Structure formats: C-alpha cells, structure tokens
Amino acid sequence: QVQLVESGGGLVQAGGSLRLSCAASGRTFSINAMGWFRRAPGKEREFVAARNWSGGSTYYADSVKGRFTISRDNAKNTVYLQMNSLKPEDTAVYYCAAHKRGSYYSPSAYAFWGQGTQVTVSS
C-alpha cells in the first residue's frame, strides 16, 4: 500500500501562484510514476500532469502546459505541482495519484490516491 497526502491548496486571485505537495509513504519503492488530476464542480476528473520516476519524463494537459510544473524531491518522497498564472477555470479539487500501469493520462492507470486539496481561483 501507498499512502498519499496532499497539501498546499487554497484561495488565490487570477494570475497568482500556488504550489501543491504530495507526500508519499508506505511501499514507495513500488511507485514508477506520480500524477496530478483535478475535478471541477460538475465535471469529470481530468488529467493535469505526470512524472516518470526513473527517467524524469513529464507529461502535461494542454490546458496547463507552460503554466504548471511537476517536480519531485527524492529524499522526501514528495511530488510537487507548481501552478503559475492561475485562471478561474483552474478551480478544482486536486488529487495526486501513484501510477500502476497504463497510460499516464488515464485515472484507471493509478492505484493509489490522496484525499484531495481544494484550489480556488478568484477572478
């Protein structure tokens, strides 16, 4: 089992920045990649970003490319999502997840999920 705990959400004005953190514990050696997803009110959960553990390759949704950056601190078993130039449409609950197998873009490829952290961007 892998436990994931997100933090760093909050309320920010449009154009501002936030950094989300996701601390992993448990069988972290089994993790091959980590991802961030989000769910806005009334919408389906959608892919935001992912990072491969071994090679460090990163993947982003088109809607956040150039504004968000996913990174990792190996020593802390923590993955971050730096969010810049935030827009009201970025408002959502953000979840981190540990990848198991399959497409990084699909929620079904992730085996473990955090509880989520709310991000609200005011206009």
Side-chain angles (χ1 to χ4, degrees):
Q1 293 286 336
V2 174
Q3 294 78 43
L4 303 172
V5 179
E6 301 102 334
S7 61
L11 173 65
V12 64
Q13 288 188 332
S17 299
L18 280 175
R19 188 178 79 157
L20 306 182
S21 301
C22 175
S25 61
R27 297 172 63 90
T28 56
F29 60 85
S30 65
I31 299 174
N32 60 73
M34 292 287 292
W36 286 95
F37 288 77
R38 67 187 182 187
R39 177 175 284 166
K43 294 187 177 181
E44 296 290 321
R45 181 170 45 184
E46 65 172 355
F47 170 80
V48 175
R51 183 182 178 94
N52 178 280
W53 248 213
S54 56
S57 297
T58 55
Y59 309 84
Y60 296 95
D62 288 343
S63 58
V64 307
K65 205 170 290 183
R67 300 188 297 122
F68 291 11
T69 302
I70 186 170
S71 63
R72 176 193 179 192
D73 184 326
N74 293 356
K76 296 181 179 180
N77 280 327
T78 299
V79 65
Y80 303 97
L81 185 67
Q82 178 66 45
M83 306 185 295
N84 299 327
S85 302
L86 282 161
K87 305 174 181 180
E89 51 263 44
D90 294 318
T91 295
V93 177
Y94 284 71
Y95 301 89
C96 69
H99 180 263
K100 183 176 182 180
R101 66 174 66 90
S103 170
Y104 291 143
Y105 299 90
S106 173
S108 63
Y110 294 78
F112 303 101
W113 293 81
Q115 81 288 353
T117 185
Q118 176 71 47
V119 171
T120 303
V121 184
S122 63
S123 57

mmCIF file of all heavy atoms in Angstrom, residues 34-73:
data_model
loop_
_atom_site.group_PDB
_atom_site.id
_atom_site.type_symbol
_atom_site.label_atom_id
_atom_site.label_comp_id
_atom_site.label_asym_id
_atom_site.label_seq_id
_atom_site.Cartn_x
_atom_site.Cartn_y
_atom_site.Cartn_z
ATOM 1 N N MET A 34 4.169 9.372 -10.771
ATOM 2 C CA MET A 34 3.130 10.046 -9.996
ATOM 3 C C MET A 34 2.393 11.016 -10.902
ATOM 4 O O MET A 34 2.987 11.581 -11.832
ATOM 5 C CB MET A 34 3.740 10.814 -8.827
ATOM 6 C CG MET A 34 4.335 9.937 -7.762
ATOM 7 S SD MET A 34 3.096 9.108 -6.757
ATOM 8 C CE MET A 34 2.401 10.497 -5.881
ATOM 9 N N GLY A 35 1.131 11.201 -10.610
ATOM 10 C CA GLY A 35 0.345 12.116 -11.415
ATOM 11 C C GLY A 35 -0.511 13.028 -10.560
ATOM 12 O O GLY A 35 -0.732 12.764 -9.369
ATOM 13 N N TRP A 36 -0.940 14.110 -11.181
ATOM 14 C CA TRP A 36 -1.915 15.020 -10.590
ATOM 15 C C TRP A 36 -3.156 15.050 -11.484
ATOM 16 O O TRP A 36 -3.043 15.159 -12.712
ATOM 17 C CB TRP A 36 -1.348 16.429 -10.476
ATOM 18 C CG TRP A 36 -0.327 16.606 -9.397
ATOM 19 C CD1 TRP A 36 1.029 16.532 -9.521
ATOM 20 C CD2 TRP A 36 -0.582 16.896 -8.020
ATOM 21 N NE1 TRP A 36 1.624 16.747 -8.303
ATOM 22 C CE2 TRP A 36 0.663 16.987 -7.364
ATOM 23 C CE3 TRP A 36 -1.741 17.104 -7.256
ATOM 24 C CZ2 TRP A 36 0.785 17.257 -5.995
ATOM 25 C CZ3 TRP A 36 -1.628 17.378 -5.910
ATOM 26 C CH2 TRP A 36 -0.385 17.464 -5.294
ATOM 27 N N PHE A 37 -4.290 14.982 -10.834
ATOM 28 C CA PHE A 37 -5.580 15.101 -11.516
ATOM 29 C C PHE A 37 -6.395 16.177 -10.807
ATOM 30 O O PHE A 37 -6.048 16.597 -9.702
ATOM 31 C CB PHE A 37 -6.342 13.769 -11.475
ATOM 32 C CG PHE A 37 -5.757 12.707 -12.360
ATOM 33 C CD1 PHE A 37 -4.614 12.016 -11.998
ATOM 34 C CD2 PHE A 37 -6.347 12.399 -13.579
ATOM 35 C CE1 PHE A 37 -4.056 11.045 -12.822
ATOM 36 C CE2 PHE A 37 -5.817 11.419 -14.410
ATOM 37 C CZ PHE A 37 -4.667 10.745 -14.017
ATOM 38 N N ARG A 38 -7.463 16.606 -11.423
ATOM 39 C CA ARG A 38 -8.344 17.572 -10.782
ATOM 40 C C ARG A 38 -9.787 17.302 -11.179
ATOM 41 O O ARG A 38 -10.060 16.741 -12.235
ATOM 42 C CB ARG A 38 -7.955 19.002 -11.132
ATOM 43 C CG ARG A 38 -8.154 19.373 -12.590
ATOM 44 C CD ARG A 38 -7.573 20.759 -12.861
ATOM 45 N NE ARG A 38 -7.774 21.185 -14.243
ATOM 46 C CZ ARG A 38 -7.263 22.284 -14.771
ATOM 47 N NH1 ARG A 38 -6.500 23.095 -14.023
ATOM 48 N NH2 ARG A 38 -7.496 22.603 -16.036
ATOM 49 N N ARG A 39 -10.684 17.722 -10.300
ATOM 50 C CA ARG A 39 -12.105 17.607 -10.579
ATOM 51 C C ARG A 39 -12.776 18.917 -10.211
ATOM 52 O O ARG A 39 -12.786 19.302 -9.050
ATOM 53 C CB ARG A 39 -12.741 16.455 -9.807
ATOM 54 C CG ARG A 39 -14.257 16.355 -10.012
ATOM 55 C CD ARG A 39 -14.806 15.132 -9.338
ATOM 56 N NE ARG A 39 -14.513 13.935 -10.098
ATOM 57 C CZ ARG A 39 -14.635 12.701 -9.608
ATOM 58 N NH1 ARG A 39 -15.006 12.537 -8.351
ATOM 59 N NH2 ARG A 39 -14.375 11.675 -10.356
ATOM 60 N N ALA A 40 -13.304 19.570 -11.226
ATOM 61 C CA ALA A 40 -14.054 20.807 -11.018
ATOM 62 C C ALA A 40 -15.513 20.467 -10.749
ATOM 63 O O ALA A 40 -15.979 19.387 -11.143
ATOM 64 C CB ALA A 40 -13.934 21.701 -12.245
ATOM 65 N N PRO A 41 -16.262 21.349 -10.108
ATOM 66 C CA PRO A 41 -17.676 21.084 -9.815
ATOM 67 C C PRO A 41 -18.451 20.762 -11.088
ATOM 68 O O PRO A 41 -18.373 21.488 -12.078
ATOM 69 C CB PRO A 41 -18.151 22.397 -9.196
ATOM 70 C CG PRO A 41 -16.923 22.996 -8.609
ATOM 71 C CD PRO A 41 -15.811 22.632 -9.543
ATOM 72 N N GLY A 42 -19.172 19.647 -11.052
ATOM 73 C CA GLY A 42 -19.995 19.256 -12.181
ATOM 74 C C GLY A 42 -19.245 18.677 -13.356
ATOM 75 O O GLY A 42 -19.832 18.431 -14.416
ATOM 76 N N LYS A 43 -17.943 18.436 -13.191
ATOM 77 C CA LYS A 43 -17.149 17.907 -14.294
ATOM 78 C C LYS A 43 -16.477 16.603 -13.902
ATOM 79 O O LYS A 43 -16.379 16.259 -12.726
ATOM 80 C CB LYS A 43 -16.091 18.927 -14.720
ATOM 81 C CG LYS A 43 -16.671 20.208 -15.317
ATOM 82 C CD LYS A 43 -15.574 21.084 -15.876
ATOM 83 C CE LYS A 43 -16.164 22.328 -16.545
ATOM 84 N NZ LYS A 43 -15.083 23.197 -17.115
ATOM 85 N N GLU A 44 -16.012 15.906 -14.922
ATOM 86 C CA GLU A 44 -15.287 14.660 -14.695
ATOM 87 C C GLU A 44 -13.862 14.960 -14.206
ATOM 88 O O GLU A 44 -13.310 16.041 -14.462
ATOM 89 C CB GLU A 44 -15.208 13.860 -15.999
ATOM 90 C CG GLU A 44 -16.545 13.398 -16.539
ATOM 91 C CD GLU A 44 -17.155 12.324 -15.670
ATOM 92 O OE1 GLU A 44 -16.396 11.459 -15.192
ATOM 93 O OE2 GLU A 44 -18.381 12.364 -15.452
ATOM 94 N N ARG A 45 -13.282 13.993 -13.532
ATOM 95 C CA ARG A 45 -11.885 14.108 -13.140
ATOM 96 C C ARG A 45 -11.012 14.145 -14.396
ATOM 97 O O ARG A 45 -11.219 13.360 -15.316
ATOM 98 C CB ARG A 45 -11.519 12.921 -12.262
ATOM 99 C CG ARG A 45 -10.104 12.914 -11.748
ATOM 100 C CD ARG A 45 -9.933 11.827 -10.701
ATOM 101 N NE ARG A 45 -10.524 10.582 -11.104
ATOM 102 C CZ ARG A 45 -10.574 9.488 -10.347
ATOM 103 N NH1 ARG A 45 -10.062 9.521 -9.137
ATOM 104 N NH2 ARG A 45 -11.139 8.392 -10.789
ATOM 105 N N GLU A 46 -10.050 15.058 -14.416
ATOM 106 C CA GLU A 46 -9.209 15.174 -15.601
ATOM 107 C C GLU A 46 -7.738 15.181 -15.236
ATOM 108 O O GLU A 46 -7.332 15.610 -14.156
ATOM 109 C CB GLU A 46 -9.547 16.462 -16.378
ATOM 110 C CG GLU A 46 -9.236 17.741 -15.652
ATOM 111 C CD GLU A 46 -9.401 18.973 -16.531
ATOM 112 O OE1 GLU A 46 -9.667 18.839 -17.737
ATOM 113 O OE2 GLU A 46 -9.253 20.091 -16.002
ATOM 114 N N PHE A 47 -6.957 14.693 -16.176
ATOM 115 C CA PHE A 47 -5.501 14.638 -16.024
ATOM 116 C C PHE A 47 -4.927 16.047 -16.040
ATOM 117 O O PHE A 47 -5.370 16.893 -16.817
ATOM 118 C CB PHE A 47 -4.916 13.819 -17.166
ATOM 119 C CG PHE A 47 -3.421 13.875 -17.260
ATOM 120 C CD1 PHE A 47 -2.630 13.096 -16.433
ATOM 121 C CD2 PHE A 47 -2.803 14.711 -18.172
ATOM 122 C CE1 PHE A 47 -1.254 13.136 -16.527
ATOM 123 C CE2 PHE A 47 -1.425 14.769 -18.274
ATOM 124 C CZ PHE A 47 -0.656 13.971 -17.439
ATOM 125 N N VAL A 48 -3.928 16.264 -15.174
ATOM 126 C CA VAL A 48 -3.233 17.550 -15.153
ATOM 127 C C VAL A 48 -1.768 17.371 -15.541
ATOM 128 O O VAL A 48 -1.277 18.020 -16.468
ATOM 129 C CB VAL A 48 -3.333 18.200 -13.758
ATOM 130 C CG1 VAL A 48 -2.504 19.489 -13.712
ATOM 131 C CG2 VAL A 48 -4.778 18.471 -13.380
ATOM 132 N N ALA A 49 -1.053 16.488 -14.810
ATOM 133 C CA ALA A 49 0.378 16.313 -15.063
ATOM 134 C C ALA A 49 0.832 14.987 -14.497
ATOM 135 O O ALA A 49 0.189 14.441 -13.593
ATOM 136 C CB ALA A 49 1.182 17.452 -14.433
ATOM 137 N N ALA A 50 1.947 14.480 -15.017
ATOM 138 C CA ALA A 50 2.533 13.250 -14.501
ATOM 139 C C ALA A 50 4.041 13.308 -14.681
ATOM 140 O O ALA A 50 4.560 14.015 -15.549
ATOM 141 C CB ALA A 50 1.960 12.022 -15.215
ATOM 142 N N ARG A 51 4.727 12.549 -13.837
ATOM 143 C CA ARG A 51 6.176 12.497 -13.916
ATOM 144 C C ARG A 51 6.627 11.061 -13.713
ATOM 145 O O ARG A 51 6.245 10.421 -12.724
ATOM 146 C CB ARG A 51 6.824 13.377 -12.856
ATOM 147 C CG ARG A 51 8.356 13.422 -12.938
ATOM 148 C CD ARG A 51 8.941 14.278 -11.828
ATOM 149 N NE ARG A 51 10.388 14.300 -11.872
ATOM 150 C CZ ARG A 51 11.102 15.224 -12.485
ATOM 151 N NH1 ARG A 51 10.497 16.224 -13.105
ATOM 152 N NH2 ARG A 51 12.412 15.171 -12.482
ATOM 153 N N ASN A 52 7.438 10.601 -14.641
ATOM 154 C CA ASN A 52 8.011 9.266 -14.539
ATOM 155 C C ASN A 52 9.141 9.283 -13.514
ATOM 156 O O ASN A 52 9.963 10.202 -13.512
ATOM 157 C CB ASN A 52 8.541 8.854 -15.922
ATOM 158 C CG ASN A 52 9.183 7.500 -15.897
ATOM 159 O OD1 ASN A 52 10.323 7.360 -15.481
ATOM 160 N ND2 ASN A 52 8.455 6.498 -16.358
ATOM 161 N N TRP A 53 9.192 8.291 -12.653
ATOM 162 C CA TRP A 53 10.177 8.285 -11.571
ATOM 163 C C TRP A 53 11.593 8.050 -12.075
ATOM 164 O O TRP A 53 12.535 8.703 -11.654
ATOM 165 C CB TRP A 53 9.806 7.203 -10.566
ATOM 166 C CG TRP A 53 9.361 7.673 -9.225
ATOM 167 C CD1 TRP A 53 9.583 7.037 -8.039
ATOM 168 C CD2 TRP A 53 8.592 8.836 -8.913
ATOM 169 N NE1 TRP A 53 9.011 7.754 -7.021
ATOM 170 C CE2 TRP A 53 8.393 8.852 -7.523
ATOM 171 C CE3 TRP A 53 8.059 9.881 -9.673
ATOM 172 C CZ2 TRP A 53 7.676 9.864 -6.876
ATOM 173 C CZ3 TRP A 53 7.349 10.879 -9.035
ATOM 174 C CH2 TRP A 53 7.164 10.869 -7.655
ATOM 175 N N SER A 54 11.770 7.104 -12.967
ATOM 176 C CA SER A 54 13.115 6.688 -13.358
ATOM 177 C C SER A 54 13.780 7.703 -14.277
ATOM 178 O O SER A 54 14.863 8.214 -13.972
ATOM 179 C CB SER A 54 13.069 5.314 -14.016
ATOM 180 O OG SER A 54 12.191 5.337 -15.117
ATOM 181 N N GLY A 55 13.136 8.000 -15.386
ATOM 182 C CA GLY A 55 13.752 8.899 -16.353
ATOM 183 C C GLY A 55 13.442 10.357 -16.129
ATOM 184 O O GLY A 55 14.120 11.232 -16.672
ATOM 185 N N GLY A 56 12.428 10.629 -15.326
ATOM 186 C CA GLY A 56 12.067 12.009 -15.066
ATOM 187 C C GLY A 56 11.247 12.669 -16.155
ATOM 188 O O GLY A 56 11.068 13.891 -16.138
ATOM 189 N N SER A 57 10.757 11.887 -17.107
ATOM 190 C CA SER A 57 9.929 12.481 -18.158
ATOM 191 C C SER A 57 8.648 13.048 -17.550
ATOM 192 O O SER A 57 8.106 12.492 -16.603
ATOM 193 C CB SER A 57 9.568 11.418 -19.200
ATOM 194 O OG SER A 57 10.716 10.925 -19.832
ATOM 195 N N THR A 58 8.191 14.153 -18.119
ATOM 196 C CA THR A 58 6.980 14.803 -17.617
ATOM 197 C C THR A 58 5.935 14.911 -18.718
ATOM 198 O O THR A 58 6.270 14.955 -19.914
ATOM 199 C CB THR A 58 7.295 16.200 -17.064
ATOM 200 O OG1 THR A 58 7.951 16.976 -18.068
ATOM 201 C CG2 THR A 58 8.182 16.117 -15.838
ATOM 202 N N TYR A 59 4.693 14.963 -18.300
ATOM 203 C CA TYR A 59 3.561 14.996 -19.212
ATOM 204 C C TYR A 59 2.549 15.991 -18.655
ATOM 205 O O TYR A 59 2.318 16.018 -17.439
ATOM 206 C CB TYR A 59 2.935 13.610 -19.324
ATOM 207 C CG TYR A 59 3.929 12.525 -19.624
ATOM 208 C CD1 TYR A 59 4.673 11.926 -18.607
ATOM 209 C CD2 TYR A 59 4.170 12.107 -20.932
ATOM 210 C CE1 TYR A 59 5.621 10.954 -18.875
ATOM 211 C CE2 TYR A 59 5.111 11.126 -21.213
ATOM 212 C CZ TYR A 59 5.831 10.563 -20.179
ATOM 213 O OH TYR A 59 6.760 9.604 -20.462
ATOM 214 N N TYR A 60 1.951 16.782 -19.533
ATOM 215 C CA TYR A 60 1.023 17.813 -19.108
ATOM 216 C C TYR A 60 -0.212 17.844 -19.989
ATOM 217 O O TYR A 60 -0.156 17.582 -21.188
ATOM 218 C CB TYR A 60 1.688 19.194 -19.163
ATOM 219 C CG TYR A 60 2.853 19.360 -18.222
ATOM 220 C CD1 TYR A 60 4.158 19.145 -18.648
ATOM 221 C CD2 TYR A 60 2.632 19.708 -16.886
ATOM 222 C CE1 TYR A 60 5.221 19.274 -17.769
ATOM 223 C CE2 TYR A 60 3.699 19.850 -16.001
ATOM 224 C CZ TYR A 60 4.987 19.621 -16.449
ATOM 225 O OH TYR A 60 6.035 19.756 -15.585
ATOM 226 N N ALA A 61 -1.329 18.209 -19.373
ATOM 227 C CA ALA A 61 -2.525 18.508 -20.153
ATOM 228 C C ALA A 61 -2.283 19.802 -20.923
ATOM 229 O O ALA A 61 -1.578 20.702 -20.439
ATOM 230 C CB ALA A 61 -3.728 18.663 -19.229
ATOM 231 N N ASP A 62 -2.863 19.907 -22.085
ATOM 232 C CA ASP A 62 -2.675 21.112 -22.904
ATOM 233 C C ASP A 62 -3.117 22.361 -22.159
ATOM 234 O O ASP A 62 -2.525 23.440 -22.323
ATOM 235 C CB ASP A 62 -3.466 20.985 -24.211
ATOM 236 C CG ASP A 62 -2.850 19.998 -25.173
ATOM 237 O OD1 ASP A 62 -1.654 19.645 -24.997
ATOM 238 O OD2 ASP A 62 -3.550 19.562 -26.101
ATOM 239 N N SER A 63 -4.134 22.228 -21.327
ATOM 240 C CA SER A 63 -4.697 23.391 -20.640
ATOM 241 C C SER A 63 -3.757 23.989 -19.593
ATOM 242 O O SER A 63 -3.939 25.134 -19.175
ATOM 243 C CB SER A 63 -6.019 23.009 -19.971
ATOM 244 O OG SER A 63 -5.819 21.949 -19.047
ATOM 245 N N VAL A 64 -2.752 23.229 -19.167
ATOM 246 C CA VAL A 64 -1.834 23.723 -18.128
ATOM 247 C C VAL A 64 -0.403 23.830 -18.616
ATOM 248 O O VAL A 64 0.465 24.327 -17.884
ATOM 249 C CB VAL A 64 -1.884 22.836 -16.868
ATOM 250 C CG1 VAL A 64 -3.310 22.678 -16.374
ATOM 251 C CG2 VAL A 64 -1.237 21.484 -17.106
ATOM 252 N N LYS A 65 -0.135 23.369 -19.814
ATOM 253 C CA LYS A 65 1.223 23.362 -20.347
ATOM 254 C C LYS A 65 1.776 24.788 -20.380
ATOM 255 O O LYS A 65 1.112 25.724 -20.837
ATOM 256 C CB LYS A 65 1.215 22.759 -21.757
ATOM 257 C CG LYS A 65 2.521 22.163 -22.197
ATOM 258 C CD LYS A 65 2.338 21.375 -23.495
ATOM 259 C CE LYS A 65 1.539 20.119 -23.274
ATOM 260 N NZ LYS A 65 1.418 19.297 -24.503
ATOM 261 N N GLY A 66 2.977 24.954 -19.860
ATOM 262 C CA GLY A 66 3.595 26.269 -19.808
ATOM 263 C C GLY A 66 3.281 27.044 -18.552
ATOM 264 O O GLY A 66 3.915 28.068 -18.271
ATOM 265 N N ARG A 67 2.290 26.589 -17.788
ATOM 266 C CA ARG A 67 1.915 27.276 -16.540
ATOM 267 C C ARG A 67 2.196 26.419 -15.306
ATOM 268 O O ARG A 67 2.536 26.961 -14.251
ATOM 269 C CB ARG A 67 0.428 27.636 -16.556
ATOM 270 C CG ARG A 67 0.021 28.554 -17.695
ATOM 271 C CD ARG A 67 -1.418 29.024 -17.540
ATOM 272 N NE ARG A 67 -2.381 27.934 -17.583
ATOM 273 C CZ ARG A 67 -3.251 27.654 -16.619
ATOM 274 N NH1 ARG A 67 -3.270 28.391 -15.520
ATOM 275 N NH2 ARG A 67 -4.098 26.650 -16.745
ATOM 276 N N PHE A 68 2.032 25.105 -15.431
ATOM 277 C CA PHE A 68 2.220 24.190 -14.312
ATOM 278 C C PHE A 68 3.497 23.386 -14.508
ATOM 279 O O PHE A 68 3.867 23.050 -15.643
ATOM 280 C CB PHE A 68 1.056 23.218 -14.204
ATOM 281 C CG PHE A 68 -0.259 23.821 -13.775
ATOM 282 C CD1 PHE A 68 -0.447 25.190 -13.717
ATOM 283 C CD2 PHE A 68 -1.319 22.990 -13.416
ATOM 284 C CE1 PHE A 68 -1.655 25.735 -13.323
ATOM 285 C CE2 PHE A 68 -2.534 23.514 -13.012
ATOM 286 C CZ PHE A 68 -2.702 24.895 -12.980
ATOM 287 N N THR A 69 4.135 23.044 -13.390
ATOM 288 C CA THR A 69 5.339 22.217 -13.428
ATOM 289 C C THR A 69 5.257 21.156 -12.352
ATOM 290 O O THR A 69 5.018 21.478 -11.182
ATOM 291 C CB THR A 69 6.596 23.069 -13.203
ATOM 292 O OG1 THR A 69 6.670 24.101 -14.196
ATOM 293 C CG2 THR A 69 7.854 22.203 -13.301
ATOM 294 N N ILE A 70 5.467 19.914 -12.752
ATOM 295 C CA ILE A 70 5.505 18.815 -11.786
ATOM 296 C C ILE A 70 6.958 18.485 -11.501
ATOM 297 O O ILE A 70 7.784 18.406 -12.415
ATOM 298 C CB ILE A 70 4.736 17.575 -12.312
ATOM 299 C CG1 ILE A 70 4.670 16.486 -11.230
ATOM 300 C CG2 ILE A 70 5.324 17.041 -13.615
ATOM 301 C CD1 ILE A 70 3.736 15.339 -11.587
ATOM 302 N N SER A 71 7.275 18.315 -10.216
ATOM 303 C CA SER A 71 8.652 18.003 -9.828
ATOM 304 C C SER A 71 8.633 17.049 -8.654
ATOM 305 O O SER A 71 7.578 16.765 -8.083
ATOM 306 C CB SER A 71 9.414 19.278 -9.477
ATOM 307 O OG SER A 71 8.830 19.919 -8.360
ATOM 308 N N ARG A 72 9.824 16.591 -8.288
ATOM 309 C CA ARG A 72 9.910 15.565 -7.255
ATOM 310 C C ARG A 72 11.120 15.816 -6.373
ATOM 311 O O ARG A 72 12.175 16.218 -6.856
ATOM 312 C CB ARG A 72 10.026 14.193 -7.913
ATOM 313 C CG ARG A 72 10.209 13.037 -6.948
ATOM 314 C CD ARG A 72 10.642 11.792 -7.706
ATOM 315 N NE ARG A 72 10.842 10.673 -6.798
ATOM 316 C CZ ARG A 72 11.429 9.534 -7.125
ATOM 317 N NH1 ARG A 72 11.878 9.373 -8.348
ATOM 318 N NH2 ARG A 72 11.575 8.569 -6.251
ATOM 319 N N ASP A 73 10.954 15.546 -5.084
ATOM 320 C CA ASP A 73 12.060 15.536 -4.136
ATOM 321 C C ASP A 73 12.245 14.096 -3.699
ATOM 322 O O ASP A 73 11.451 13.559 -2.924
ATOM 323 C CB ASP A 73 11.738 16.445 -2.948
ATOM 324 C CG ASP A 73 12.907 16.558 -1.974
ATOM 325 O OD1 ASP A 73 13.647 15.571 -1.800
ATOM 326 O OD2 ASP A 73 13.076 17.625 -1.381
#
